[in-house]
C-alpha cells in the first residue's frame, strides 16, 4: 500500500480524551491542543513531580495483549490487514501511527491498544523495537480503563481476531447539535456495554454484538432524551459573525454544547441552534443573546403620546435610523444596543416638551378650505413652526395639532382665526313689500362680487334674499343690501289707460320700452289693475332713474289723448264695414288705435289725429257724441293706491301722511324701515 494512504487516513491519537484528531496544529506529546492546554496547566501546578507516562521503545515480543479478542477493523473503519500490508511495504509508516500505550504491571508490559500491537506483530519480528508510551502502573493509566480491557485468559500471549462479518451495526440519525453531547455521554455506554459508536456526517453507526447494538440504541435514545435544544434569532450577519468568533471559547468552557447556523426561509435572518446539557445550553444562550443585543441591527418599538405620530415622522429628527407609524403612534428604532439607547434618550428629551391640541370641524367645505389647494393653507398656518397639523377626512374627525407647546398655542390661534374667517353662515334677509324682486335680482351678482358672499333669491318666489358666506362676508352683504333697498332704491307707480300701454309705452317688440330704459338702471313692470280700463306700471330702480323714466313717460303720453264714441248698436256693422274696410278708410293717414269691442268705442292716439278721425266719422255717419280729453295716465301712491294727475300732488300726499304718523302704515301703507328714528326723513319723504 502506498505511503500516501497513511498521509490521508492516519490521524493523531490523543491519550487524554482518547480520540483521533485530524489536522491539529497544536498536537504535542500525544495530546491534542485542548487536552494539552488542560494537562499543561495542571502540570505546572505539580512542579517537581514526575510525569505519569514517558516515551520509550520496546521489542514487540516483550509486549503482551490485554484483551482476549479484537475486531478486524479500527474504529474509523480501516481494516487491520491493510495496515499490516502498509507496514510491510514501508516500515517508516509506523511513525505515522499513534504510539501504543503500555502499562507496567508486575514486571509485565501490557498493551492497551491491542489492534495496533497485533498489526506490528504481524508486520515485524519479535525483536523489532517500536515506539510506545509507558505508564508506570495501571493507576497512572486509569484503573477503570485497565480493568475493562484486561480480558485476556492466556496471559496476554495470544489474541483472537473477531471477523467483522460476525459483528452487527445500526445507523441512526444524528441531530445537528447533539454530536459533542453524545460523545461525552457515550463513554459510559462503552464502558458498561461495550458497544462502539462511529459518527459519519449526520448519521451515528453503533456496532458490536447484536445485544450490544440493541442496548446501544436504547442508550442512544436515552442520551438524546437528555439533550436540551434551543434557538436564537441572530437578526443579521453582523451578530452571526460575532457569535462565531465568541463560540470558540464557549466550546472550551461548555464542551457539551454544539452550535448550528441556519438561515430562515421565511424571514431571511440567520438563526443559531443550540444543543447539549441544559445548564450549559442556557449559559451559552445567555452569552449569545448578549452578543446579539450588542451587535445586531434590530428594531425596537416605543409608544408615542396620543396623536403625535405625525410630528415625530415629519418634523422631529433623532440621531439614527427610525420610522414612525402615524395610525398607531409607534416609534420604531433600528440599530445595535448603543444606537437604540442613544435614540431613546433623545426621544425622552423631546417628549416632555411635546403638546397636542384638537378642534372639532363638522363642515366639509370648511375643512377643505382649511387644507387648501395642495395644502397651501396648512403651510401658511404652520409657517415658521414645526407643528404638525392633521385634518381628518371624516366629519367626526378633529383637527389635531402636535409639536412644541409654545408653537402649538400659536398655531392654534391661527387655526381658530382661519375657521372664524371661513366658517359658512347662511342668513335669510326679507325684502320689504314695496321692493321689486326683479330690481334686487339684477343687482345680486354685483353685491356678491363686492362682498365676496353668495346671494340668491328663492325659486319659490318668497320675497327674501339668502346670503351665504363667512361671518364677515354675510355682514357686509347685508349692509350693501340695506343700502340698496333703503338708500338707492326708488319706485314710481303709474296708472296708464290700457290702450296706450302696448302701443306707446311698450311698442312693437318692446322698442319703446328699450328706448325708455336706455342706460338707466331701472326695471319696468306692467300689471293689470282691478279696474279694467287701467294698467299699473311699476318703475323700480335707482331713485333718480325712476323719476327720469316716469317723467319721460308722462311727456310722451301728453301728446296722446283718449276719446270715446257712443255708437248705435244697430249700425255697428255698417260703421265697421266688411273686414273693417270703413274703419280703415277713416284711419288712413292717421296714427290712431281703436277699440270697437265695447260700446262706446275707444279711440287713442295723437290729439290732432284723434280730432281728424272724429271729423271724418261725423262726415261719414252723421253727428255723434264725442267724449274726449280723458286723462291717459295718473301717479298712484304705492301704499294706499290713491292716484293723482301729477307727481307733485302725489309727493305732497306722501309727505303729509309721513309727517302726521311718522309712518304710512296707518294711512297709505308705505313701508319705512324700523332703523329710522322718530323724526328722521322717511324714504317717502326723500322723494
Amino acid at each position: 500500500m502506498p505511503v500516501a494512504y497513511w498521509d490521508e487516513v492516519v490521524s493523531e491519537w490523543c491519550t487524554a480524551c482518547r480520540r483521533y484528531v485530524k489536522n491539529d496544529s497544536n498536537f504535542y506529546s500525544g495530546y491534542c491542543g485542548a487536552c494539552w492546554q488542560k494537562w499543561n496547566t495542571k502540570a505546572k501546578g505539580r512542579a517537581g513531580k514526575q510525569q505519569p507516562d514517558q516515551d520509550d521503545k520496546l521489542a514487540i515480543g516483550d509486549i503482551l495483549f490485554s484483551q482476549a479478542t479484537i475486531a478486524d477493523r479500527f474504529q474509523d473503519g480501516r481494516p487491520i490487514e491493510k495496515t499490516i500490508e502498509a507496514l510491510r511495504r514501508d516500515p517508516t509508516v509506523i511513525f505515522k501511527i499513534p504510539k501504543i500505550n503500555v502499562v507496567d504491571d508486575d514486571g509485565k508490559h501490557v498493551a492497551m491498544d491491542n489492534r495496533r500491537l497485533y498489526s506490528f506483530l504481524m508486520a515485524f519480528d519479535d525483536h523489532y523495537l517500536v515506539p510506545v508510551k509507558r505508564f508506570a502502573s495501571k493507576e497512572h493509566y486509569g484503573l477503570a480503563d485497565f480493568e475493562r480491557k484486561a480480558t485476556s485468559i492466556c496471559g496476554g500471549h495470544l489474541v483472537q481476531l473477531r471477523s467483522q462479518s460476525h459483528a452487527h451495526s445500526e445507523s441512526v440519525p444524528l441531530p445537528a447539535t447533539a454530536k459533542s453531547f453524545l460523545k461525552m455521554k457515550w463513554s459510559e455506554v462503552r464502558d458498561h456495554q461495550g458497544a462502539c459508536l462511529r459518527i459519519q456526517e449526520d448519521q451515528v453507526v453503533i456496532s458490536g454484538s447484536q445485544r450490544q447494538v440493541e442496548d446501544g440504541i436504547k442508550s442512544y435514545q436515552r442520551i438524546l432524551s437528555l439533550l436540551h435544544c434551543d434557538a436564537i434569532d441572530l437578526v443579521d450577519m453582523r451578530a452571526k459573525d460575532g457569535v462565531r468568533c465568541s463560540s470558540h471559547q464557549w466550546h472550551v468552557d461548555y464542551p457539551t454544547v454544539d452550535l448550528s447556523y441556519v438561515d430562515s426561509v421565511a424571514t431571511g435572518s440567520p438563526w443559531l441552534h443550540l444543543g447539549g446539557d441544559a445548564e450549559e445550553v442556557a449559559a451559552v444562550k445567555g452569552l449569545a443573546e448578549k452578543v446579539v443585543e450588542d451587535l445586531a441591527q434590530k428594531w425596537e418599538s416605543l409608544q408615542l403620546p396620543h396623536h403625535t405620530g405625525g410630528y415625530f415622522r415629519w418634523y422631529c429628527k433623532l440621531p439614527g435610523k427610525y420610522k414612525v407609524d402615524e395610525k398607531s403612534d409607534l416609534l420604531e428604532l433600528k440599530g445595535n444596543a448603543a444606537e437604540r439607547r442613544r435614540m431613546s434618550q433623545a426621544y425622552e428629551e423631546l417628549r416632555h416638551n411635546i403638546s397636542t391640541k384638537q378642534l372639532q370641524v363638522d363642515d366639509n367645505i370648511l375643512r377643505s378650505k382649511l387644507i387648501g389647494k395642495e395644502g397651501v393653507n396648512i403651510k401658511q398656518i404652520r409657517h415658521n413652526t414645526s407643528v404638525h397639523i392633521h385634518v381628518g377626512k371624516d366629519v367626526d374627525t378633529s383637527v389635531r395639532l402636535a409639536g412644541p407647546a409654545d408653537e402649538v398655542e400659536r398655531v392654534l390661534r391661527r387655526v381658530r382665526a382661519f375657521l372664524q374667517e371661513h366658517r359658512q353662515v347662511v342668513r335669510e334677509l326679507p325684502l320689504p313689500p314695496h321692493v321689486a324682486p326683479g330690481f334686487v335680482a339684477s343687482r345680486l351678482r354685483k353685491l356678491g362680487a363686492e362682498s365676496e358672499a353668495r346671494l340668491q333669491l328663492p325659486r319659490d318666489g318668497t320675497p327674501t334674499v339668502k346670503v351665504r358666506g363667512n361671518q364677515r362676508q354675510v355682514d357686509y352683504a347685508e349692509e350693501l343690501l340695506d343700502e340698496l333697498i333703503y338708500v338707492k332704491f326708488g319706485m314710481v307707480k303709474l296708472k296708464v289707460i290700457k290702450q296706450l300701454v302696448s302701443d306707446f309705452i311698450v311698442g312693437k317688440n318692446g322698442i319703446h320700452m328699450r328706448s325708455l330704459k336706455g342706460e338707466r338702471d331701472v326695471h319696468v313692470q306692467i300689471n293689470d289693475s282691478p279696474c279694467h280700463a287701467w294698467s299699473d306700471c311699476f318703475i323700480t330702480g335707482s331713485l333718480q332713474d325712476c323719476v327720469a323714466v316716469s317723467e319721460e313717460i308722462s311727456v310722451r303720453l301728453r301728446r296722446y289723448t283718449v276719446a270715446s264714441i257712443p255708437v248705435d248698436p244697430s249700425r255697428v256693422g255698417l260703421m265697421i264695414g266688411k273686414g273693417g274696410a270703413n274703419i280703415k278708410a277713416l284711419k288712413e293717414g292717421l296714427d290712431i288705435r281703436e277699440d270697437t269691442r265695447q260700446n262706446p268705442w275707444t279711440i287713442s292716439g295723437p290729439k290732432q289725429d284723434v280730432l281728424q278721425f272724429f271729423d271724418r266719422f261725423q262726415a261719414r255717419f252723421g253727428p255723434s257724441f264725442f267724449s274726449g280729453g280723458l286723462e291717459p295716465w295718473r301717479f298712484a301712491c304705492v301704499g294706499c293706491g290713491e292716484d293723482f294727475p301729477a307727481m307733485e300732488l302725489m309727493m305732497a300726499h306722501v309727505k303729509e301722511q309721513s309727517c302726521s304718523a311718522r309712518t304710512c302704515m296707518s294711512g297709505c301703507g308705505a313701508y319705512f324701515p324700523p332703523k329710522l328714528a322718530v323724526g328722521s326723513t322717511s324714504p317717502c319723504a326723500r322723494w
Side-chain angles (χ1 to χ4, degrees), residues 193 206 212-223:
Q193 299 177 1
I206 301 175
Q212 289 174 335
V213 170
E214 291 176 355
D215 293 342
I217 293 177
K218 294 179 181 179
S219 300
Y220 171 77
Q221 294 174 347
R222 180 182 57 81
I223 292 173

Side-chain angles (χ1 to χ4, degrees), residues 27-272:
F27 194 90
Y28 180 75
S29 298
Y31 295 93
C32 64
C35 295
W36 170 255
Q37 185 177 5
K38 291 182 179 180
W39 183 87
N40 193 28
T41 303
K42 295 178 180 179
K44 289 180 180 179
R46 300 192 304 268
K49 296 182 180 180
Q50 184 180 1
Q51 297 181 1
D53 58 347
Q54 56 184 349
D55 295 335
D56 200 353
K57 288 186 178 181
L58 295 175
I60 298 176
D62 296 338
I63 304 174
L64 302 176
F65 293 100
S66 62
Q67 293 176 309
T69 61
I70 59 174
D72 61 351
R73 292 177 180 272
F74 289 98
Q75 288 185 358
D76 59 358
R78 295 193 303 271
I80 292 179
E81 293 296 332
K82 291 186 177 181
T83 304
I84 296 173
E85 293 178 4
L87 290 171
R88 288 174 178 174
R89 289 191 179 93
D90 185 2
T92 60
V93 173
I94 195 174
F95 297 105
K96 294 184 179 182
I97 298 176
K99 298 175 182 178
I100 299 175
N101 294 317
V102 177
V103 177
D104 295 338
D105 183 30
D106 295 334
K108 300 177 182 178
H109 305 301
V110 181
M112 295 291 102
D113 303 306
N114 294 271
R115 281 173 288 190
R116 271 175 276 172
L117 176 60
Y118 179 82
S119 299
F120 295 162
L121 284 172
M122 295 296 104
F124 305 115
D125 296 333
D126 291 345
H127 63 274
Y128 191 85
L129 297 176
V130 295
V132 297
K133 188 174 293 295
R134 296 178 62 182
F135 291 85
S137 65
K138 55 186 177 181
E139 286 78 9
H140 288 164
Y141 176 77
L143 183 61
D145 288 343
F146 182 84
E147 292 179 352
R148 178 178 61 83
K149 291 186 177 182
T151 60
S152 177
I153 58 176
C154 59
H157 298 285
L158 297 174
V159 69
Q160 182 179 359
L161 190 65
R162 300 192 306 270
S163 175
Q164 185 69 19
S165 58
H166 298 287
H168 297 272
S169 65
E170 290 287 344
S171 297
V172 292
L174 175 67
T177 57
K179 186 175 181 181
S180 298
F181 184 75
L182 178 62
K183 285 183 176 179
M184 297 193 68
K185 295 292 184 181
W186 191 259
S187 60
E188 302 175 4
V189 178
R190 182 182 57 191
D191 294 343
H192 294 87
Q193 299 177 1
C196 297
L197 178 140
R198 185 172 70 254
I199 297 176
Q200 296 179 347
E201 297 181 353
D202 59 347
Q203 295 288 322
V204 174
V205 179
I206 301 175
S207 58
S209 64
Q210 184 175 0
R211 182 175 181 180
Q212 289 174 335
V213 170
E214 291 176 355
D215 293 342
I217 293 177
K218 294 179 181 179
S219 300
Y220 171 77
Q221 294 174 347
R222 180 182 57 81
I223 292 173
L224 290 187
S225 66
L226 301 176
L227 177 70
H228 181 74
C229 297
D230 210 333
I232 304 173
D233 185 5
L234 299 180
V235 182
D236 56 17
M237 294 303 298
R238 181 182 301 183
K240 181 179 179 180
D241 294 339
V243 171
R244 282 186 184 275
C245 295
S246 304
S247 61
H248 299 292
Q249 181 62 36
W250 299 344
H251 189 71
V252 175
D253 298 336
Y254 308 99
T256 66
V257 180
D258 275 335
L259 309 180
S260 177
Y261 302 92
V262 179
D263 292 333
S264 174
V265 178
T267 62
S269 61
W271 282 73
L272 173 64

Side-chain angles (χ1 to χ4, degrees), residues 500 503-505 512 553-562 591-593 603-610 629-633:
L500 299 180
D503 295 334
F504 305 110
I505 295 180
H512 297 330
I553 290 177
S554 63
V555 169
R556 287 188 179 188
L557 293 180
R558 285 191 186 99
R559 300 195 304 265
Y560 295 87
T561 186
V562 178
D591 185 14
I592 63 173
R593 300 290 185 273
I603 307 299
S604 61
K607 293 181 180 180
Q608 296 299 326
D609 290 351
V610 171
L630 298 178
E631 291 180 331
W633 79 93

Side-chain angles (χ1 to χ4, degrees), residues 349-379:
E349 294 175 359
L350 290 172
R351 185 174 65 87
H352 298 293
N353 193 35
I354 301 303
S355 174
T356 59
K357 297 289 184 180
Q358 65 180 14
L359 292 174
Q360 189 71 25
V361 181
D362 53 1
D363 188 349
N364 287 331
I365 298 177
L366 185 59
R367 187 165 54 251
S368 300
K369 287 184 178 180
L370 180 61
I371 299 174
K373 187 177 182 180
E374 297 180 356
V376 62
N377 292 337
I378 292 293
K379 294 178 182 177

